[in-house]
Amino acid sequence: MPSNLRVKSSEFIDETIRISFKFNGKSYHGFKGDTLASALLANDVHLVGRSFKYHRPRGIMTAGSEEPNAIVQVNDKTNRTEPNVRATEVEIYEGLEASSQNCWPNVNFDIGGINNALSAFLPAGFYYKTFMWPASFWEKYEYFIRHSAGLGKSPTEKDPDIYDHRHVHCDVLVVGAGISGILAAKNAAKNNFKTLLVDEKNELGGATIYQNREFNIIEGLSSSDWIKKEIQELKHIKNLEIKTRTSVAAYHSYNYLLARENLTDHLEKKDKQGKIRQRLLKIRAKKVILSTGALERPLIFNNNDRPGIMLSSAVNKYADFYGVVSGKKNVFFTNNDSAYESALCLHNKGIKVEAIIDIRENSDSKIVKTVENAGIAIHWSHTIVDTKGYKRLNSISVMKLSNDGLSVTGNKIDISCDCLGVAGGWTPAVHLFTQSGGKLTFNESDKVFLPNKYPSDQLSVGSCNGDFKIKEIINNLSTNLKQFLKIEKTDFDNLSIESEEENSKRNIWLLPSDKSIGKTKPFVDYQNDATAKDIKLALREGFRSIEHVKRYTTTGMGTDQGKLGNMHALGIIADTAGVKMGELGTTTFRPPYTPLTFGTIVGRNVGEYFDIFRRTPMNDWHIENKAEFENVGQWKRAWYYPVNGESMHDAVQRESKAARESAGILDASTLGKIDIQGSDASEFLNRVYTNAWSKLGIGKCRYGLMLNEDGMVYDDGVTTRLGENHYLMTTTTGGAANVLGKLEDYLQTEWPELDVYLTSVTDHYATTSICGPNSKKILNKIIPDLDLSEESFPHMSFKNAQIGNIKCRIMRISFTGEHSYEINVQANYGKAIWEKCMEAGKEFNITPYGTETMHLLRAEKGFIIVGQDTDGTMTPIDLQMDWIVSKKKYDFIGKRSLYRSDTMKEERKQLVGLLTDDPNIVLEEGAQIVSKLNESPVNMLGHVTSSYYSPNLKKSIALAVVRSGKHMMGKKLFIPMENKNINVTVANPVFFDSENKRLNA
Amino acid sequence: MFVINCPYCGERDQQEFKAGGEAHIERPKQPTELSDDEWAEYLFMRKNIKGIQFERWNHAHGCRKWFNMVRDTSNDEIKLIYKMGERPPSE
Ligand SMILES: [Zn+2]
């Protein structure tokens, strides 16, 4: 390592702990406290990546999360690799491996660099225009573009790390722990506000803590010594929680913020094991104080993007905080006093500063005088017109600015240098403020957008509110904080403060060159390679809205959202279009402020925790008996029970035959169950179902169809009258929650006069359904004293019974068309009763069947499944279920809609049966139905909704919805498939036992 | 994500609630008397205002009660919450 790039040891870097790491396969070392960026700079590595479009060599520009260029891929392992990480935010650890992105085959020889030479043909909108070419062109381009200009690699394996979510509630959230954040948090906590202070960095204190500013004196101490004392005090304050390495990603309405807490990324590999890597904090704060600081702006001039060109403040931070010198020959280029602070910082460390180029005419501030007295050359009213050096800056060309700042005059001066610190002023970090819905106002004198109208209980303080000097930061904070927190005083009301004053200002958004703009490359958005030239082109092509210019030029659309250059883009648009910046507005800053990992977003909700699984009380039995499962909503339902390696088809055929020939058993616990009580319960059912309920006797069951107000079938199920004012309603498995919600809605908002109470009891009862000709014998074995005669216990009735000590409700209802019983018991007894049925049914070869067989059996009977044979566009009339729609009832939900001209049309799609001419062909569900082949355009009549091979009928059967289907009985239709046309005949949808003889067998 | 002050439970996070569309659209007492157009007006037509809107909300994962909310849809500011059956404030 070139040792002369480390200056006198910094207190933030522990030089006793050496850390080795690899970058682009080469080994380097740094010290504890270094970021990847500072360690690379200490090793004299500036070239770290290639730009997105032109593949120009790029270096480290900043020392923070706003970094546009030094974007790296961390850890080249297939499962733990992460793209698009800012080298300025990666804290190095032993064994870290990182590599450049956007370059292929490597950063030093990059084939896409040819785009730079071709840049005249790659203007703004190139990609959009390319996309508009014929699709075949795009396919060719896609390979090239993806390969050469990708934004990093995704991991190819499952992420092995643990991520977490946590809800956080606090009285005051302070975002940013610079000087104003620290003072605000301290005083909030001291006044009994439960306070949370977060900062994206690993150290508190912002820039104040490391900058050695001899002109900033607080209470007789330098500002950095004073802030260190303040930070020490924070540790002893109650009510205050501090989280470092925590970046606020999003600020939503009602003071709801999302922050990412980084817990292990900075640790050595062995220390990461088994720990939570990142945690998403979901913060609800009563009050929010934003002290997010300000970002330094670059200056926009020709070839302003070479490795070695950095922000002046970054040069300063690398020197003061990391003890790293970014260059041996340093020059600064500025429009304000900030660069003089950086120059002085280097000078005081004994590092040569060649020159300062200042676009202002002069300045008489104290710091400028000090720099002048130090013998550093200052070129007033000058600008940089060009830079040289392909992979590293080696010289700049400087010329005098005209009075209007639009052109340059005089001779060109070349200055040799390897590091250029650029200071274009400061942009308050108002991103979070605007995310929250805050409105900005433009401050003409500082050329900044500042918070204006707060949308929630929040306050912006410090430089994100436009206060840049320590004196104004502290004084304004004192006034605003007292008002915001409604407190009498703060502990910094009467500090003695001395700070620098800056007097002269000059701002030029786009600095002129001696070349015409067409021949220059003044980059505005470094990450997306958008230049001032592109913005001007967009305006020439007629774009006016800044949102359009942004999309056309891709300015601000990178992963950094253009944090550095957005203001210049706006300025150049305003200047070119001749409008005021305040009237132009800004583009929208969107969450996240810095990129989030997918892991952080999903937290623990991965794998089996992605969604809730609901399991029935008999679930263990199904698993023990090798059931295959299917997801029905959140339920895991037994699908079929393969025996001896049977295929699904064979299992279902066997189960279906067994259920009709002897006995089958089904776990029906997932059906929705709603307990309905109250003196108006019958009237309520009358209003929500299409059929009549008033005359249903106690102990009887009835099937009901429920519509939406638009007349379309919504749900169905059997409801049992348990008592005078007591019903038990069943719903479909998937519809249970929605049905309850809908019924509550009507009850509370339309019919509050009804005395009815609804309770969901789905999880409270387990339901075992036994069916088939031997089901009666089986039930008789289990409950010998229960009268199962037709007279006492007919179809569609219910009895209370007892199996041992277990109370049960037995309904004689059927979804298969077979004689069957549903035994409902308290959920805990579900498995015991199921096993009792299995035992009693053994001699009858009782066969467990799953949802697939249930669907097949009901299809044989032509029973619909809401959601499979209906899709929200089917009325009961469409389903040929006219019999269930009461003509006598004055009203029920959806009744009026059945008489709309549209719902009464004869040519609506109607449910029919379909039989294939070849009984062995089973149709595909979803297949389209036509009446004529070779018609163009194809006139599609409908589609197949359910289709099975029926082992009981020994032929293929299907249900379908077909336009005017009810008038097509016996008609031949076609199902055109990829390789063949299938001939079908429209049939009655009840294929099996249409006289319902088996129900009473 | 709002904080909603359920009139029965107090302040709760928005994710416990379900929005139920425009408020104060009463189901006609005699639907059979209505023309197709009148029925369609009740069934389909909603204002969807940018600005002050009267809405129905349900504390679906809480007390399951429905209530009314006056919300500025342009900035999500909740102006007022009142129970079902109570009369809407006059602007
Ligand atoms: Zn509630």
Side-chain angles (χ1 to χ4, degrees):
Chain A
M1 169 167 67
S3 57
N4 55 347
L5 292 177
R6 285 275 178 189
V7 290
K8 193 173 138 306
S9 55
S10 148
E11 63 188 284
F12 304 100
I13 297 293
D14 186 348
E15 290 196 33
T16 63
I17 304 179
R18 252 172 84 106
I19 292 173
S20 348
F21 65 98
K22 276 187 180 169
F23 182 66
N24 285 334
K26 205 175 154 194
S27 293
Y28 297 97
H29 84 256
F31 297 119
K32 183 153 179 60
D34 265 326
T35 61
L36 179 59
S38 70
L40 286 172
L41 291 174
N43 285 282
D44 207 20
V45 176
H46 273 257
L47 171 60
V48 291
R50 293 272 177 166
S51 69
F52 180 62
K53 195 161 117 187
Y54 303 129
H55 288 245
R56 285 168 68 102
R58 290 283 165 81
I60 297 156
M61 275 208 78
T62 73
S65 59
E66 70 272 32
E67 175 63 37
N69 285 345
I71 306 293
V72 298
Q73 181 101 23
V74 172
N75 228 334
D76 281 325
K77 295 260 167 50
T78 45
N79 60 359
R80 265 206 179 97
T81 190
E82 186 177 353
N84 302 325
V85 183
R86 293 146 302 283
T88 49
E89 288 198 300
V90 178
E91 295 174 49
I92 60 166
Y93 52 85
E94 190 64 37
L96 167 74
E97 289 179 36
S99 54
S100 301
Q101 291 182 185
N102 283 356
C103 36
W104 174 62
N106 65 53
V107 71
N108 279 303
F109 175 74
D110 179 74
I111 209 155
I114 201 160
N115 284 1
N116 190 24
L118 292 175
S119 65
F121 306 104
L122 290 173
F126 166 76
Y127 289 102
Y128 290 139
K129 286 168 183 167
T130 305
F131 298 159
M132 289 164 69
W133 288 355
S136 58
F137 276 69
W138 167 235
E139 281 167 25
K140 290 191 184 85
Y141 269 93
E142 191 189 16
Y143 173 79
F144 175 73
I145 290 172
R146 286 199 195 288
H147 206 66
S148 62
L151 284 169
K153 288 183 298 233
S154 304
T156 53
E157 287 169 23
K158 192 171 175 268
D159 189 337
D161 286 319
I162 307 166
Y163 300 84
D164 199 20
H165 285 181
R166 182 180 286 175
H167 289 273
V168 177
H169 296 265
C170 58
D171 295 326
V172 177
L173 170 70
V174 182
V175 184
I179 186 166
S180 40
I182 285 170
L183 293 180
K186 182 182 167 194
N187 281 273
K190 277 188 166 177
N191 282 281
N192 293 319
F193 291 94
K194 190 184 163 209
T195 304
L196 174 63
L197 172 65
V198 302
D199 195 279
E200 61 179 1
K201 301 261 183 338
N202 58 341
E203 292 275 352
L204 302 181
T208 314
I209 196 161
Y210 61 84
Q211 287 172 339
N212 188 14
R213 294 279 188 265
E214 55 188 284
F215 302 111
N216 286 343
I217 306 294
I218 305 174
E219 297 285 279
L221 294 171
S222 75
S223 53
S224 58
D225 286 342
W226 183 81
I227 197 87
K228 280 171 205 159
K229 199 168 62 72
E230 289 291 310
I231 291 168
Q232 280 307 313
E233 271 183 50
L234 289 182
K235 291 175 186 153
H236 309 293
I237 297 177
K238 279 190 307 180
N239 291 327
L240 176 63
E241 190 183 358
I242 300 171
K243 284 187 181 293
T244 53
R245 298 188 178 99
T246 301
S247 163
V248 172
Y251 188 170
H252 297 295
S253 56
Y254 290 75
N255 282 349
Y256 182 66
L257 297 92
L258 299 174
R260 182 210 51 210
E261 186 182 11
N262 215 334
L263 298 163
T264 64
D265 277 357
H266 61 291
L267 298 179
E268 257 183 69
K269 277 176 189 167
K270 66 175 168 58
D271 297 328
K272 292 183 204 281
Q273 296 303 330
K275 289 184 187 151
I276 293 164
R277 182 189 169 203
Q278 291 171 350
R279 181 182 282 138
L280 186 72
L281 304 176
K282 301 174 171 182
I283 307 169
R284 184 76 76 174
K286 293 205 177 98
K287 290 170 175 284
V288 173
I289 296 173
L290 294 176
S291 45
T292 46
L295 303 174
E296 189 165 47
R297 290 175 195 166
L299 290 164
I300 311 301
F301 54 97
N302 184 23
N303 287 322
N304 58 344
D305 66 326
R306 300 194 189 281
I309 301 179
M310 305 168 70
L311 293 180
S312 151
S313 58
V315 174
N316 185 173
K317 181 163 187 182
Y318 286 117
D320 268 345
F321 189 93
Y322 298 104
V324 173
V325 183
S326 305
K328 284 163 211 150
K329 283 189 277 182
N330 297 280
V331 173
F332 289 92
F333 183 25
T334 188
N335 68 1
N336 69 93
D337 282 357
S338 306
Y340 293 81
E341 291 165 352
S342 305
L344 209 54
C345 137
L346 294 187
H347 180 80
N348 290 343
K349 291 182 196 320
I351 298 149
K352 180 107 171 88
V353 176
E354 308 284 328
I356 296 180
I357 321 297
D358 197 323
I359 69 168
R360 298 177 297 178
E361 276 156 31
N362 58 58
S363 166
D364 56 3
S365 65
K366 241 192 313 185
I367 185 144
V368 172
K369 291 293 160 214
T370 312
V371 167
E372 256 174 353
N373 294 339
I376 298 170
I378 304 173
H379 300 262
W380 295 108
S381 292
H382 274 65
T383 185
I384 297 178
V385 295
D386 202 0
T387 67
K388 293 198 178 65
Y390 185 59
K391 289 180 193 167
R392 176 74 185 266
L393 178 73
N394 59 37
S395 76
I396 56 170
S397 304
V398 173
M399 286 176 81
K400 189 158 178 22
L401 266 174
S402 64
N403 286 339
D404 61 6
L406 295 175
S407 58
V408 286
T409 57
N411 296 328
K412 213 189 275 189
I413 314 162
D414 285 347
I415 302 172
S416 130
C417 59
D418 61 357
C419 179
L420 176 68
V422 180
W426 295 85
T427 300
V430 294
H431 308 70
L432 294 178
F433 168 79
T434 56
Q435 277 184 22
S436 77
K439 297 279 176 284
L440 299 168
T441 181
F442 189 68
N443 176 309
E444 196 60 49
S445 72
D446 286 338
K447 299 276 187 271
V448 290
F449 282 100
L450 295 176
N452 184 24
K453 208 170 145 241
Y454 293 109
S456 62
D457 200 358
Q458 59 169 291
L459 180 70
S460 288
V461 298
S463 55
C464 72
N465 194 39
D467 297 336
F468 296 108
K469 294 296 166 194
I470 280 195
K471 201 178 235 168
E472 65 187 17
I473 287 173
I474 292 179
N475 289 342
N476 289 344
L477 176 62
S478 157
T479 312
N480 294 337
L481 193 66
K482 281 188 279 196
Q483 210 179 354
F484 183 65
L485 298 179
K486 299 183 183 70
I487 52 175
E488 292 289 306
K489 58 180 174 49
T490 71
D491 64 1
F492 55 93
D493 286 344
N494 303 304
L495 292 182
S496 86
I497 308 163
E498 290 171 41
S499 76
E500 308 149 26
E501 291 303 324
E502 180 185 78
N503 301 316
S504 66
K505 292 184 199 299
R506 187 178 195 185
N507 189 74
I508 301 172
W509 293 116
L510 171 59
L511 290 155
S513 168
D514 54 330
K515 294 185 189 136
S516 70
I517 174 115
K519 296 206 163 74
T520 63
K521 282 221 173 60
F523 286 92
V524 175
D525 181 324
Y526 301 85
Q527 196 176 97
N528 272 354
D529 268 356
T531 65
K533 192 165 63 179
D534 294 324
I535 293 170
K536 284 177 176 269
L537 174 71
L539 292 166
R540 268 208 312 282
E541 292 194 358
F543 291 93
R544 283 296 173 270
S545 149
I546 53 166
E547 292 288 352
H548 292 160
V549 174
K550 166 179 162 173
R551 279 157 185 78
Y552 191 63
T553 61
T554 72
T555 305
M557 288 176 70
T559 56
D560 63 336
Q561 295 192 45
K563 291 189 181 77
L564 294 189
N566 268 347
M567 285 301 293
H568 306 85
L570 295 173
I572 292 164
I573 295 169
D575 286 352
T576 312
V579 293
K580 285 211 164 104
M581 280 188 77
E583 290 159 17
L584 199 60
T586 61
T587 54
T588 314
F589 299 112
R590 292 191 171 81
Y593 178 70
T594 48
L596 287 177
T597 58
F598 281 112
T600 312
I601 295 166
V602 299
R604 306 254 175 178
N605 304 321
V606 291
E608 61 181 310
Y609 301 113
F610 181 68
D611 198 6
I612 294 164
F613 287 142
R614 296 174 79 185
R615 296 182 170 92
T616 73
M618 291 82 118
N619 190 67
D620 287 350
W621 191 93
H622 304 321
I623 292 171
E624 283 157 25
N625 288 273
K626 309 280 187 295
E628 291 291 331
F629 287 85
E630 110 173 294
N631 295 332
V632 182
Q634 292 172 328
W635 288 101
K636 287 277 170 200
R637 293 199 73 179
W639 193 12
Y640 59 96
Y641 301 81
V643 174
N644 298 330
E646 263 176 330
S647 68
M648 174 170 168
H649 175 81
D650 291 347
V652 170
Q653 297 289 306
R654 173 181 52 74
E655 291 171 11
S656 302
K657 275 176 85 79
R660 294 226 188 273
E661 285 170 6
S662 179
I665 179 167
L666 171 83
D667 180 356
S669 307
T670 64
L671 284 183
K673 295 178 271 294
I674 300 170
D675 186 274
I676 303 173
Q677 300 194 38
S679 56
D680 293 316
S682 303
E683 171 61 17
F684 180 67
L685 290 174
N686 264 333
R687 296 187 191 187
V688 301
Y689 277 131
T690 60
N691 47 349
W693 290 78
S694 316
K695 294 193 182 114
L696 184 70
I698 294 168
K700 297 285 186 255
C701 314
R702 182 165 288 172
Y703 174 77
L705 205 55
M706 199 182 287
L707 309 184
N708 259 334
E709 204 66 273
D710 62 6
M712 304 303 156
V713 172
Y714 182 69
D715 204 82
D716 68 345
V718 171
T719 295
T720 303
R721 188 166 195 177
L722 301 173
E724 175 65 27
N725 298 322
H726 191 187
Y727 290 84
L728 181 68
M729 172 188 279
T730 59
T731 72
T732 59
T733 296
N738 290 336
V739 169
L740 180 69
K742 179 186 161 92
L743 298 184
E744 275 289 354
D745 187 351
Y746 275 91
L747 207 47
Q748 288 179 35
T749 68
E750 298 294 351
W751 310 318
E753 72 282 4
L754 294 185
D755 176 40
V756 176
Y757 303 89
L758 307 174
T759 309
S760 167
V761 292
T762 304
D763 294 308
H764 303 61
Y765 294 99
T767 308
T768 298
S769 170
I770 52 174
C771 79
N774 287 317
S775 57
K776 192 174 183 173
K777 291 177 200 155
I778 294 168
L779 189 61
N780 188 49
K781 274 179 75 181
I782 300 169
I783 323 175
D785 54 347
L786 190 68
D787 183 356
L788 300 179
S789 67
E790 284 303 313
E791 301 70 45
S792 166
F793 198 179
H795 180 56
M796 296 307 266
S797 65
F798 129 86
K799 272 184 189 293
N800 281 311
Q802 194 131 346
I803 303 176
N805 292 324
I806 306 167
K807 281 184 191 157
C808 53
R809 288 173 178 157
I810 301 175
M811 279 79 170
R812 190 173 155 203
I813 52 180
S814 176
F815 191 42
T816 59
E818 295 298 317
H819 189 122
S820 58
Y821 300 94
E822 285 191 1
I823 308 166
N824 290 276
V825 293
Q826 195 188 315
N828 323 29
Y829 299 119
K831 192 170 170 231
I833 294 300
W834 174 278
E835 282 167 344
K836 240 184 164 56
C837 291
M838 285 303 297
E839 199 186 295
K842 210 170 198 171
E843 60 176 295
F844 305 102
N845 184 31
I846 191 167
T847 301
Y849 66 92
T851 50
E852 191 64 21
T853 293
M854 174 185 85
H855 289 174
L856 191 160
L857 295 173
R858 65 85 208 180
E860 290 178 336
K861 288 293 295 174
F863 295 151
I864 58 155
I865 290 186
V866 173
Q868 175 162 345
D869 303 297
T870 73
D871 61 0
T873 66
M874 303 295 286
T875 69
I877 316 301
D878 298 336
L879 294 171
Q880 306 216 51
M881 291 173 77
D882 312 45
W883 55 271
I884 204 171
V885 180
S886 165
K887 304 278 185 302
K888 290 186 197 132
K889 282 200 292 183
Y890 179 72
D891 194 13
F892 56 81
I893 296 171
K895 174 164 181 164
R896 176 62 186 82
S897 291
L898 298 179
Y899 301 94
R900 291 178 62 231
S901 56
D902 192 52
T903 44
M904 290 202 298
K905 276 185 190 152
E906 285 293 311
E907 66 271 28
R908 289 177 63 84
K909 285 181 185 170
Q910 289 133 6
L911 187 83
V912 294
L914 286 186
L915 290 171
T916 49
D917 289 3
D918 177 346
N920 291 315
I921 296 179
V922 180
L923 299 172
E924 274 185 35
E925 288 174 0
Q928 294 291 322
I929 302 162
V930 301
S931 61
K932 286 184 200 132
L933 292 168
N934 306 321
E935 199 182 23
S936 182
V938 180
N939 185 16
M940 292 182 291
L941 298 179
H943 65 276
V944 178
T945 60
S946 294
S947 174
Y948 304 91
Y949 184 81
S950 161
N952 299 300
L953 296 159
K954 297 201 171 50
K955 65 180 177 187
S956 151
I957 57 167
L959 298 175
V961 291
V962 178
R963 206 176 303 142
S964 302
K966 70 168 112 172
H967 302 298
M968 286 190 181
M969 208 53 61
K971 194 172 157 62
K972 298 273 180 196
L973 297 174
F974 307 99
I975 314 252
M977 297 302 289
E978 205 176 351
N979 300 317
K980 61 184 173 192
N981 298 312
I982 303 168
N983 298 349
V984 296
T985 306
V986 179
N988 185 327
V990 184
F991 300 102
F992 186 77
D993 184 30
S994 53
E995 297 87 36
N996 291 331
K997 285 183 186 152
R998 305 179 67 90
L999 281 176
N1000 301 316
Chain B
M1 193 96 78
F2 322 157
V3 173
I4 296 172
N5 193 2
C6 171
Y8 305 93
C9 308
E11 289 194 343
R12 294 288 190 280
D13 202 277
Q14 186 190 341
Q15 64 187 18
E16 293 184 14
F17 297 83
K18 222 168 116 177
E22 192 176 328
H24 304 300
I25 298 175
E26 202 181 336
R27 187 173 188 274
K29 289 273 181 288
Q30 297 175 314
T32 46
E33 318 273 294
L34 301 182
S35 69
D36 270 10
D37 284 352
E38 287 166 331
W39 180 247
E41 183 67 31
Y42 157 72
L43 197 56
F44 302 120
M45 297 306 174
R46 298 294 181 268
K47 292 198 194 87
N48 195 21
I49 294 163
K50 180 181 180 184
I52 304 292
Q53 180 159 287
F54 292 73
E55 300 175 331
R56 290 157 16 103
W57 283 75
N58 180 227
H59 196 183
H61 301 287
C63 63
R64 283 179 19 204
K65 284 285 193 186
W66 284 87
F67 55 88
N68 296 303
M69 179 192 290
V70 183
R71 180 173 68 105
D72 187 333
T73 59
S74 67
N75 60 10
D76 288 337
E77 191 186 333
I78 297 170
K79 303 277 188 191
L80 187 72
I81 282 173
Y82 55 102
K83 291 179 181 175
M84 273 298 151
E86 289 179 6
R87 298 198 63 78
S90 46
E91 299 309 311

